[in-house]
Amino acid sequence: MKKGWLVVSAMFLLLMGVLAGCGSSTSGSNGKERVVIGYFPNIDHVPAMVAREKAMYEEALGDKYEVEYKTFPDGGAFMTALKTGDIQGGLVGPGPAMNNYVSGADVKVVAGASSGGTVIIASKESGITSVEELDGATFITPGVGCTHDVQMETFLQDYGLSSARIGGSMKHVTGNPAQYAGMFESESVDAAAVPEPWASLLSIEHGANILVDSNEIAFGTTLPNTILVTSGKLIDENKELVQKLVDAHQESVDFISENPEESKEIAINSIKELTNQELSKEVIDSAWERIRFTHEVDAEVVQEFANSSFELKFLKEKPDFTEFIDSQFVN
């Protein structure tokens, strides 16, 4: 029995060693190296949708590489994929990236993607119309300690409200934003800190009440809401590849600024493909007003956001993000 456990343990350690070595690109079909880009079906991830539609990563990387895309419902799943080498980079919120960085994960921010776009919203069924009425309510976010969770819980501190996790009265649950409408209607949750376009969808098509708009919530207009990340291992081993990834990403961000209507159409079609939900032009137009697409990252705001994550006990130690952001690739 003891020998069997030793064999299992050895196999486990071997597997972990393999995973730990998977930070760089892997072999794909036709002898090409495979590069997998991750992102979410949220509108603040439109740079990835546009880059995919316009084959910008493929063009930047050239014939040596085979580009694939993978989507995720939350930052936790994305970060697991980055750590195991299932993806080589992509777009994610700063919250999951920070939480994993301070836990020792090999993750580096190489560019911004968007800022803004998070709102606190209450279901029509809850009858909640003010922040004060959230006392005792059940709220939902994509993940514990995710970007939107930290923004909401930081904001609520000014009202003396907090989640039960840190001794408050509010019950916190997690789930995919694309499913919030059904949760609102079934009254399984009362409110949400939700990214666009789901906030506009809930408001316009389901009568939900926006309690705190994206320009009012903590860090709302300044915090990078979506960032482009990769691993330090990939930067060390193939800096040229990372530069091309950032170049393609910047091209996509610039395209969105110069071609907003075409970018909206790409977003509608992409989100429909990924979630089976076709968002109206009215919803996308509303969501677009709350988001700024940019490849810039404000390091000071990122540190302030991290300090708040620590104060809210999402992080065990106060972090130092001096080495978290690698700005050498942004032109």
Side-chain angles (χ1 to χ4, degrees):
M1 186 69 178
K2 184 177 180 180
K3 183 178 180 181
W5 274 111
L6 289 174
V7 171
V8 171
S9 298
M11 292 178 64
F12 175 76
L13 291 173
L14 176 61
L15 174 63
M16 292 305 293
V18 170
L19 293 177
C22 287
S24 58
S25 55
T26 58
S27 297
S29 61
N30 302 321
K32 295 182 178 180
E33 291 187 58
R34 183 172 60 238
V35 175
V36 186
I37 306 295
Y39 66 101
F40 304 175
N42 296 333
I43 203 165
D44 44 8
H45 289 240
V46 169
M49 299 176 195
V50 168
R52 181 176 188 172
E53 177 68 20
K54 298 294 183 180
M56 290 174 177
Y57 285 112
E58 289 86 343
E59 184 176 346
L61 295 179
D63 295 336
K64 181 180 177 182
Y65 294 95
E66 178 182 82
V67 179
E68 294 183 5
Y69 297 88
K70 188 172 184 177
T71 58
F72 296 88
D74 58 73
F78 177 100
M79 289 306 306
T80 297
L82 184 68
K83 289 185 287 186
T84 58
D86 286 343
I87 62 174
Q88 279 64 57
L91 302 186
V92 68
M98 292 176 187
N99 294 343
N100 278 267
Y101 178 81
V102 299
S103 298
D106 180 19
V107 54
K108 294 284 187 180
V109 180
V110 289
S114 68
S115 63
T118 298
V119 306
I120 300 176
I121 194 165
S123 71
K124 179 177 64 177
E125 291 76 11
S126 72
I128 295 173
T129 58
S130 69
V131 174
E132 291 82 355
E133 291 175 301
L134 288 172
D135 189 10
T138 297
F139 73 98
I140 188 167
T141 68
V144 176
C146 72
T147 307
H148 319 291
D149 189 5
V150 175
Q151 287 184 272
M152 178 173 181
E153 296 202 42
T154 300
F155 178 86
L156 292 180
Q157 286 182 311
D158 289 341
Y159 289 82
L161 297 174
S162 61
S163 67
R165 179 185 56 83
I166 51 176
S169 65
M170 298 178 64
K171 180 182 178 182
H172 181 206
V173 297
T174 62
N176 187 339
Q179 300 171 351
Y180 288 3
M183 295 177 182
F184 273 17
E185 292 178 355
S186 68
E187 301 186 49
S188 57
V189 296
D190 301 308
V194 61
E196 290 288 9
W198 309 113
S200 290
L201 174 73
L202 293 167
S203 174
I204 294 172
E205 298 189 2
H206 298 274
N209 299 312
I210 292 179
L211 304 180
V212 184
D213 214 325
S214 60
N215 61 350
E216 301 169 323
I217 196 169
F219 313 106
T221 58
T222 57
L223 178 72
N225 203 28
T226 308
I227 51 181
L228 178 65
V229 302
T230 187
S231 66
K233 178 179 174 64
L234 187 58
I235 293 174
D236 292 338
E237 293 182 347
N238 199 338
K239 189 174 293 185
E240 181 182 4
L241 170 61
V242 176
Q243 183 63 66
K244 290 179 178 178
L245 292 176
V246 176
D247 289 345
H249 171 69
Q250 286 191 247
E251 181 184 2
S252 180
V253 171
D254 292 341
F255 180 91
I256 293 169
S257 297
E258 296 166 2
N259 305 276
E261 293 306 313
E262 184 177 351
S263 298
K264 291 176 185 177
E265 184 177 347
I266 291 172
I268 291 172
N269 293 335
S270 181
I271 292 172
K272 179 183 179 182
E273 176 186 348
L274 297 170
T275 68
N276 292 320
Q277 285 186 264
E278 184 170 6
L279 301 174
S280 68
K281 182 65 163 45
E282 181 183 11
V283 167
I284 293 297
D285 283 340
S286 172
W288 215 264
E289 293 298 317
R290 294 193 174 98
I291 296 174
R292 183 172 71 97
F293 295 102
T294 174
H295 47 69
E296 298 174 351
V297 179
D298 189 326
E300 291 186 7
V301 174
V302 169
Q303 185 63 55
E304 292 173 5
F305 178 85
N307 294 343
S308 188
S309 294
F310 168 71
E311 292 165 2
L312 289 166
K313 300 183 180 179
F314 289 118
L315 301 176
K316 293 181 180 178
E317 298 179 3
K318 195 169 186 176
D320 179 359
F321 285 123
T322 305
E323 305 294 330
F324 179 52
I325 300 173
D326 189 338
S327 59
Q328 66 175 309
F329 301 102
V330 174
N331 297 314

